[in-house]
Amino acid sequence: MKIHPVIMAGGSGTRFWPLSRKDRPKQFLRLAGDAPLLAATVARLPPLARADRTWVVCGPQHAAAARRMLPQLPKDHFIVEPCARNTAPCVGLAALHVAARDPQGIMAMLPADHHIAKPAAFRDAIAAGAQLAERGAIATIGIRPSRPETGYGYLKLGPRLAARGGKGAPRLHAFKVERFVEKPDAKTAARYLADGSYLWNSGIFVFRADVILEEIRRAMPVLGEQLAQIAAALGTPAYARTLKRVFPECPSISIDYGVMEKSDRIAVVPADLGWSDVGSFAALPDVRSTDATGNVAEGDALVIDGRNNVVIATEGRPVAVIGLDEVVVVDAGDAILVCRRDRAQDVRKAVEELTRRGRDEVL
């Protein structure tokens, strides 16, 4: 079975400021190992999928860096969006390119900035999703929750389906998705965990190119018309001009809200992948080594009499944290971040304020 992985590599560089910047969002950072997240995403695909069938969607400010990082991919497999318009237009544009070569090609839509600790389990889950996709379903990978997490969306399991892999592949069970659930409060998240029929929504989808384009036309007819205009120019000298004119007018909406929550074709493969969306500095203890008291200390950083801190020193000068618990301290040379770990999601507020002050040199 031919699988076309499509890696969504857009980003504004706000959640990991000051390490991340506009021209270096988190997928270009080594947050969870020796390789940048984008390179690690591509590296975990073989032997399930080949480099010459792998695609990357990114913005113009990141295209050159992505090409340098991934020289094994064909040059024309870097799809450059003229501007950021969220994941529904991103998925639709990628589907046009895949469909032009393989109309019923099976696409695996993968965020570029996730960490997977169990790559073999990841490939098994994608293979099971591809079996469902081949029959016309839209498959997603659901993560078995390990805690009552309030930062993730959830999926509620419906009736069980049979999903069989190819010869030698492990059998994985799949379910219809009864509904998507928004990020819950702490009490509701605890109930979901105890219930056992809810999974974290990983944002990873597997589907045929023709199926997702059909679902976009049905659920988002305006976007469907805009994609049709782009499709008519694909492979012609008018493509770049048409894309630049039409794409910025596409609705800025996620594929989850725009299509998936309205579709009756959604199936889910539950999986234990060692998955993290690496959503903020607070998540780094989940994907990096910690000391005996739960501290992440990178570079010339030290923690004395403190627990569960994240301290990162990138410029070769010491950064010391003494007698504090649950804080984030990041020295990026030209900017320093200090915040409580439970406020790490608010880093973007600092970026917004620095933008208002015109401090573009540190953004």
Side-chain angles (χ1 to χ4, degrees):
M1 184 183 301
K2 295 180 180 178
I3 297 176
H4 302 265
V6 178
I7 300 165
M8 297 175 286
S12 57
T14 60
R15 286 193 287 176
F16 279 85
W17 183 90
L19 294 185
S20 61
R21 304 295 169 97
K22 289 179 180 177
D23 61 351
R24 192 176 70 243
K26 75 169 184 172
Q27 62 266 26
F28 292 96
L29 302 179
R30 291 173 170 82
L31 293 176
D34 295 333
L37 292 173
L38 173 58
T41 301
V42 173
R44 73 175 65 102
L45 294 171
L48 180 66
R50 298 180 351 199
D52 63 0
R53 295 196 188 104
T54 300
W55 303 75
V56 172
V57 186
C58 60
Q61 68 272 44
H62 307 139
R67 289 188 178 103
R68 287 194 299 270
M69 185 175 290
L70 302 169
Q72 69 273 38
L73 269 59
K75 292 182 178 179
D76 63 349
H77 279 213
F78 291 86
I79 303 169
V80 182
E81 300 173 316
C83 61
R85 300 307 293 158
N86 215 314
T87 55
C90 169
V91 169
L93 181 61
L96 296 182
H97 283 266
V98 173
R101 292 164 170 79
D102 186 1
Q104 293 191 327
I106 295 173
M107 302 169 59
M109 297 298 305
L110 310 173
D113 53 3
H114 290 182
H115 172 66
I116 305 290
K118 302 176 181 179
F122 164 81
R123 290 188 292 270
D124 287 344
I126 296 295
Q131 293 290 333
L132 295 167
E134 194 173 38
R135 304 200 298 260
I138 295 175
T140 185
I141 309 303
I143 307 301
R144 300 185 190 279
S146 58
R147 59 185 184 274
E149 176 62 56
T150 60
Y152 300 151
Y154 287 70
L155 306 167
K156 189 174 192 317
L157 298 179
R160 172 172 273 174
L161 305 171
R164 293 182 174 85
K167 184 178 180 181
R171 291 187 176 185
L172 294 178
H173 293 295
F175 298 79
K176 288 285 289 183
V177 171
E178 184 174 308
R179 62 190 174 98
F180 287 79
V181 183
E182 299 299 325
K183 296 176 182 178
D185 58 25
K187 182 178 179 180
T188 305
R191 179 167 58 83
Y192 290 167
L193 182 64
D195 183 285
S197 63
Y198 291 85
L199 305 176
W200 289 338
N201 178 7
S202 70
I204 298 170
F205 292 97
V206 187
F207 41 68
R208 288 198 334 236
D210 60 336
V211 167
I212 195 63
L213 289 171
E214 178 184 329
E215 289 294 275
I216 288 173
R217 287 192 294 269
R218 184 187 63 78
M220 301 183 66
V222 172
L223 178 58
E225 287 285 339
Q226 291 163 325
L227 292 173
Q229 294 179 53
I230 296 170
L234 197 63
T236 76
Y239 169 73
R241 182 173 66 253
T242 303
L243 183 66
K244 186 176 181 179
R245 174 177 59 83
V246 175
F247 196 82
E249 300 300 322
C250 292
S252 182
I253 188 169
S254 73
I255 193 69
D256 298 63
Y257 290 134
V259 177
M260 302 307 180
E261 293 184 7
K262 302 172 184 176
S263 177
D264 60 2
R265 297 190 183 198
I266 310 297
V268 60
V269 177
D272 176 10
L273 310 179
W275 172 87
S276 172
D277 75 343
V278 200
S280 72
F281 284 111
L284 291 190
D286 295 333
V287 299
R288 287 193 179 191
S289 298
T290 62
D291 65 16
T293 53
N295 299 297
V296 171
E298 298 284 343
D300 202 359
L302 65 150
V303 179
I304 299 171
D305 295 333
R307 302 175 64 86
N308 302 324
N309 299 295
V310 175
V311 186
I312 300 175
T314 65
E315 294 301 305
R317 58 191 176 203
V319 175
V321 171
I322 303 172
L324 296 176
D325 300 333
E326 302 281 351
V327 299
V328 174
V329 180
V330 180
D331 179 4
D334 59 350
I336 296 172
L337 168 71
V338 180
C339 70
R340 295 204 317 257
R341 195 173 149 193
D342 64 359
R343 296 291 302 275
Q345 291 283 357
D346 291 333
V347 169
R348 65 183 62 195
K349 293 182 178 179
V351 175
E352 290 168 359
E353 177 61 19
L354 289 167
T355 301
R356 188 188 69 80
R357 296 184 183 189
R359 296 299 305 272
D360 291 346
E361 77 279 7
V362 295
L363 301 174

